[in-house]
Amino acid sequence: QVQLVESGGGLVQAGGSLRLSCAASGRAFSRYTIGWFRQAPGKDREYVAAITWSTGNTYYAESVKARFTISRNNAKNTVYLQMNSLKPEGTAVYYCAVSTDVIAVRAEQRYNSWGQGTQVTVSS
């Protein structure tokens, strides 16, 4: 399985910003889709955003489309999630994951490698 290392979580006030990073060992991202998911307390894990590594095509959940940006750094084999205008509803554990499916990029079931998760807490 692919080993993923996440960082960037923390405590931020509503309206603030955070930048999450997801780095993979080796060249795991070269032919895959990388997604970000989040899970709030007592709720199911939900899709946030995804990027196809080879083309750089990006996809977003409607709830974050205007505020979040997913990007990649090919040389560093790292994917970023820039989160702006954070809301208290954004409080959750955020996970990055890798899928070999470049079509069904929103399908959580297609992701077979997951990071450990990083906590994001948005205060009001």
Side-chain angles (χ1 to χ4, degrees), residues 11-19 67-68 82-88 90 120-124:
L11 175 65
V12 64
Q13 294 184 353
S17 300
L18 283 175
R19 190 191 193 194
R67 300 178 293 114
F68 290 12
Q82 178 67 45
M83 306 186 296
N84 298 326
S85 301
L86 282 164
K87 303 176 181 179
V120 172
T121 302
V122 185
S123 63
S124 61

Side-chain angles (χ1 to χ4, degrees), residues 40-108:
K43 296 184 178 180
D44 293 332
R45 183 178 293 168
E46 66 174 347
Y47 163 82
V48 176
I51 184 169
T52 54
W53 191 257
S54 61
T55 62
N57 292 339
T58 58
Y59 308 85
Y60 299 93
E62 290 295 328
S63 61
V64 306
K65 183 177 295 183
R67 300 178 293 114
F68 290 12
T69 303
I70 188 171
S71 62
R72 74 203 197 285
N73 185 312
N74 303 63
K76 296 182 178 180
N77 213 32
T78 300
V79 171
Y80 305 97
L81 184 67
Q82 178 67 45
M83 306 186 296
N84 298 326
S85 301
L86 282 164
K87 303 176 181 179
E89 302 90 277
T91 295
V93 177
Y94 285 70
Y95 301 88
C96 67
V98 177
S99 171
T100 57
D101 193 327
V102 297
I103 299 176
V105 298
R106 300 169 184 261
E108 182 177 346

